[in-house]
Amino acid sequence: MRSLAGGGAPALLWRTVLVAALVCGVGLLPWLSRTDPALTVLRARSADRDPDPETLRAIRDGLGLDDGPLALLGRWLGGLLHGDAGTSWVSGSQVLPGVVQALGASLLLMAGALVVAAGTVAAVCARTLRLGARGRLGARRPGGTATAVLAALPEFLVAAVLASVIGVQLGWLPALGWYGPQWMVLPSLALGLPAGAVLGRMLDDLLPGAFGEPWAMAAAARGVPSRSVARQAVRRCVPGLLPNLALFVVGLTGGSVAVEQIFDIPGLGRLTLQAALAQDLPVLQTGTLALVLLAATAGLLARLAARLLIGPALRDGALQSLHRPRPPAPRALPLLYGGLLAAVIGFGLSRDPLALDTLARLRAPSLEHPFGTDALGRDVLARISHGALTTLGTALAVSAAALVAGLLLGLLPRVSGPLVDTLSAVPPVLAGLLLTGAMGSGPWTPAFAVAVVAWCPLAAHTSSLLRQERATTHLTATRALGAGRWYLLRHELLPAVAPPVARHALLRLPGIALGLAALGFLGLGAQPPAPDWGLLLAENQPYAERAPWAVLFPAAALALLGALAVTAAGGVRLPRWPTRPAGPAGPPADPVVPAPRRRPDHPDALLTPVSASQTEER
């Protein structure tokens, strides 16, 4: 357990420092935002009450605000050691029972979402499993259109559509509340479908390497049932996904704020957001601490499960590499999706996104307005086109920064592991509030908020792949031939780890755009009248039944972005580093030892090097 925690006492100390810094940062939120906490609490208690000086002074005295944040934090920690998290500044009720109840609701919703995600993963990988188990995978090119659409659908938009269509219009399932199993079906679908699409695409990326290993070929030759081969292939690939699955668990628990808001679910994410907005520090600190403990527990269990699934092969360096030469990626689909997206953006740039026409409110698509108009009579196509310049540009910048940070920090798992476990517990909404309080509201504040947590899945993926790649037989053979660490990193580890992580980053591109959109949907991103895509969805969502085009077309643009990202991810490769030729004179550099060659028909099977004793015998 100590090794799984990341190195014993130093890792435990590092985790403690990170948790303390996060809790202290949350406790400083009212002072960072440069607002009067007493006024915020008064407005949360009663918006109609007059904030006279006597009332504000009574609130300050009752809460002890004049003592300063350190004294408040010390009192909260002292009570927490005795099982008392204090009382809410707004409602006056005990904090700990309310947080435990909200955590139970979020965990139940997370369990339902994981069931939906598991079914989605099975649907995404069904074709690969069927062909691979029968030895017919060949040069199969990974699909991506349906997966991209699922991954790119905003959770809050799926929730709004499911609630309005299935819950209200058809009346099949309840749309609001949290009173029993029937009430968790729609929110579980809204959360589980996008998460399952991303996880399924990542598993589908690893399965061809598992089916190409010698054990799979031997099993097929001996007539082992295809179901058993498929099950073992999934078992072989699951350890590489477990760290990201742990992050999904934490994200589904604390990051589903918009879904909990739409379906009126008393979950932990919604409770934390309301406490942050009201600056209710005891509730906010306790909810954040619960999320951090959940993230640490999920990460520890994921690492333990990965070791149990891999077995002694991880210790003995007996694994086969899942990194295989990929078939040429289809070029038609990325060009098609990119062309469609560019055409939509280019066609609407000549239109004014801010022009108001109150006589043309909520008009259906026509020649004059191809995508219709919104509630203020503004052209939807113009707003999508102009909003794409900021939404896509910001998402690309955040994705590139997250990829670089994820790769670099993922190569240092003892440093990044505790950092990932801590930051993954911070929902982007809470990060947006903290950064808004520290930096002020600005156009780049949502980008910083999303970037703070966007690199965590990539770093976890890098560390997981790196751990397995270090235990492969070909790396052991290359090291035995005298290769140094720098050579192994450049010629073996990075070519095996960087391409799947880069493809993962492209899969996350729509999710990053959705994170920015979610902040806009909750009012923490761009402000009206900016044509940001998240703001477009937030503004037009109340009119989804009367004017569905005002919501469907921005959602279709996000889905098109997802399709472009997923299909383009199939062509990501890392070129091999050129071997430096030996110079004619001068002292020789470190010897460059060629890596063991792989047979072209079985890329993962190594040609056994011939030793000197074997050569003498021959």
Side-chain angles (χ1 to χ4, degrees):
M1 296 290 287
R2 290 178 60 189
S3 61
L4 288 176
L12 182 60
L13 178 61
W14 177 225
R15 291 174 187 271
T16 305
V17 170
L18 291 175
V19 173
L22 178 60
V23 174
C24 291
V26 170
L28 292 174
L29 178 62
W31 289 267
L32 290 175
S33 59
R34 294 177 293 276
T35 59
D36 188 0
L39 179 60
T40 306
V41 171
L42 177 63
R43 290 175 178 174
R45 291 177 177 178
S46 177
D48 299 331
R49 191 171 179 179
D50 186 22
D52 55 88
E54 292 78 8
T55 304
L56 296 179
R57 171 57 59 184
I59 293 177
R60 291 192 188 95
D61 294 339
L63 300 179
L65 295 177
D66 292 337
D67 297 337
L70 295 181
L72 293 174
L73 181 62
R75 286 198 294 266
W76 176 77
L77 289 175
L80 195 64
L81 294 177
H82 297 87
D84 182 15
T87 58
S88 171
W89 288 1
V90 176
S91 64
S93 59
Q94 291 293 320
V95 171
L96 195 57
V99 171
V100 171
Q101 184 178 1
L103 179 60
S106 294
L107 290 177
L108 186 60
L109 176 60
M110 177 266 293
L114 287 180
V115 172
V116 175
T120 307
V121 169
V124 171
C125 302
R127 181 170 176 265
T128 302
L129 289 173
R130 184 178 65 255
L131 296 178
R134 298 175 181 177
R136 301 176 183 176
L137 200 57
R140 183 198 68 89
R141 293 173 178 176
T145 302
T147 308
V149 173
L150 285 177
L153 287 177
E155 296 171 351
F156 54 85
L157 179 61
V158 177
V161 171
L162 291 177
S164 60
V165 175
I166 298 180
V168 178
Q169 295 182 0
L170 299 178
W172 292 349
L173 291 169
L176 295 176
W178 189 254
Y179 306 105
Q182 292 181 345
W183 278 265
M184 63 181 295
V185 175
L186 294 182
S188 298
L189 288 173
L191 290 173
L193 288 176
V198 175
L199 287 174
R201 190 62 184 83
M202 293 173 61
L203 179 60
D204 195 62
D205 189 50
L206 294 175
L207 283 174
F211 283 120
E213 291 183 344
W215 67 265
M217 301 177 185
R222 292 182 61 87
V224 176
S226 58
R227 290 185 179 180
S228 299
V229 177
R231 184 169 59 252
Q232 294 300 323
V234 173
R235 183 179 183 274
R236 173 68 178 88
C237 298
V238 162
L241 300 179
L242 283 175
N244 279 279
L245 181 60
L247 297 183
F248 271 105
V249 167
V250 180
L252 292 176
T253 305
S256 55
V257 179
V259 175
E260 292 178 354
Q261 289 276 73
I262 292 174
F263 289 102
D264 194 22
I265 299 174
L268 186 59
R270 182 184 178 191
L271 179 67
T272 306
L273 174 63
Q274 292 176 349
L277 294 176
Q279 295 185 359
D280 192 352
L281 289 188
V283 178
L284 179 59
Q285 290 171 334
T286 308
T288 304
L289 184 61
L291 288 174
V292 170
L293 294 178
L294 177 64
T297 304
L300 182 63
L301 292 178
R303 289 187 287 271
L304 179 62
R307 284 185 175 272
L308 292 177
L309 286 174
I310 296 176
L314 186 64
R315 181 191 66 242
D316 300 336
L319 290 178
Q320 295 289 329
S321 176
L322 291 178
H323 172 62
R324 294 172 53 85
R326 296 175 59 88
R331 299 181 179 179
L333 287 179
L335 292 177
L336 174 62
Y337 297 140
L340 286 176
L341 189 60
V344 169
I345 296 174
F347 189 63
L349 286 178
S350 59
R351 300 169 177 263
D352 187 2
L354 304 179
L356 301 177
D357 187 359
T358 56
L359 299 179
R361 297 175 63 251
L362 300 177
R363 283 191 177 179
S366 61
L367 292 177
E368 183 180 2
H369 302 286
F371 286 2
T373 60
D374 62 5
L376 297 178
R378 295 173 296 191
D379 189 81
V380 176
L381 174 60
R383 295 184 64 76
I384 291 176
S385 300
H386 287 266
L389 300 179
T390 56
T391 302
L392 297 184
T394 306
L396 286 173
V398 173
S399 298
L403 175 59
V404 174
L407 280 173
L408 294 179
L409 292 175
L411 297 176
L412 304 171
R414 292 190 176 183
V415 176
S416 63
L419 196 59
V420 168
D421 291 342
T422 303
L423 290 181
S424 62
V426 182
V429 175
L430 181 57
L433 289 174
L434 292 175
L435 289 177
T436 301
M439 303 170 51
S441 180
W444 286 100
T445 301
F448 283 120
V450 175
V452 165
V453 296
W455 64 271
C456 294
L458 303 179
H461 195 191
T462 301
S463 299
S464 177
L465 294 178
L466 184 68
R467 182 169 57 252
Q468 296 190 57
E469 195 67 24
R470 282 175 173 173
T472 54
T473 54
H474 77 87
L475 197 71
T476 304
T478 308
R479 189 184 296 111
L481 292 175
R485 293 183 177 181
W486 180 242
Y487 179 88
L488 293 175
L489 178 65
R490 293 199 328 174
H491 295 267
E492 298 297 333
L493 294 177
L494 280 181
V497 172
V501 175
R503 291 191 291 269
H504 184 189
L506 280 177
L507 291 177
R508 292 278 177 176
L509 176 61
I512 289 176
L514 293 181
L516 299 171
L519 290 176
F521 179 78
L522 295 172
L524 299 176
Q527 300 299 319
D532 183 81
W533 285 4
L535 193 58
L536 261 66
L537 292 170
E539 291 175 341
N540 298 320
Q541 190 270 333
Y543 309 97
E545 297 183 12
R546 180 181 174 185
W549 54 84
V551 175
L552 291 179
F553 281 113
L558 280 171
L560 196 59
L561 172 64
L564 173 61
V566 172
T567 53
V572 173
R573 297 177 182 85
L574 190 67
R576 303 292 294 183
W577 294 82
T579 303
R580 183 174 56 186
D590 294 337
V592 178
V593 180
R597 295 180 293 112
R598 297 175 173 83
R599 295 196 297 270
D601 55 336
H602 302 296
D604 284 324
L606 291 172
L607 293 178
T608 305
V610 180
S611 63
S613 61
Q614 292 174 337
T615 304
E616 293 175 359
E617 292 175 1
R618 293 181 182 178

